[in-house]
Amino acid sequence: LNMYNRDNAIDNGMINSAFSPSYSTIANANEWLRIIENRELVGLPNDNQLTRQGGELYFLRAHAYWMLLKLFA
């Protein structure tokens, strides 16, 4: 209820529990995208799989940004 009343105090546990996982998701997606772009993965069958995985990572990163936007904007 506090979130919907714009009571985004620093000590609000709901805010902290949404903030950290979102930024962790963004950081992890960025790291995996770097690995894919630099072709550091070994043993994947083809570029189609890398392209699909990259697209999924872009989606997860965008979703995390969207959740932060909904929470703090």
Side-chain angles (χ1 to χ4, degrees):
L1 183 60
N2 291 342
M3 183 170 62
Y4 295 107
N5 291 330
R6 299 290 188 199
D7 180 19
N8 295 346
I10 292 296
D11 61 345
N12 188 338
M14 186 187 306
I15 301 297
N16 291 334
S17 67
F19 184 81
S20 294
S22 293
Y23 276 105
S24 177
T25 298
I26 292 166
N28 287 332
N30 285 339
E31 179 64 18
W32 277 103
L33 286 167
R34 183 193 64 76
I35 290 169
I36 288 172
E37 289 172 2
N38 292 335
R39 305 280 188 205
E40 295 176 15
L41 293 174
V42 178
L44 293 176
N46 56 36
D47 285 344
N48 289 336
Q49 186 174 4
L50 288 177
T51 301
R52 182 184 57 80
Q53 289 176 341
E56 291 172 0
L57 288 165
Y58 282 119
F59 171 81
L60 290 172
R61 186 176 69 178
H63 184 265
Y65 276 124
W66 179 72
M67 293 300 290
L68 287 169
L69 180 67
K70 280 182 53 175
L71 186 61
F72 292 109

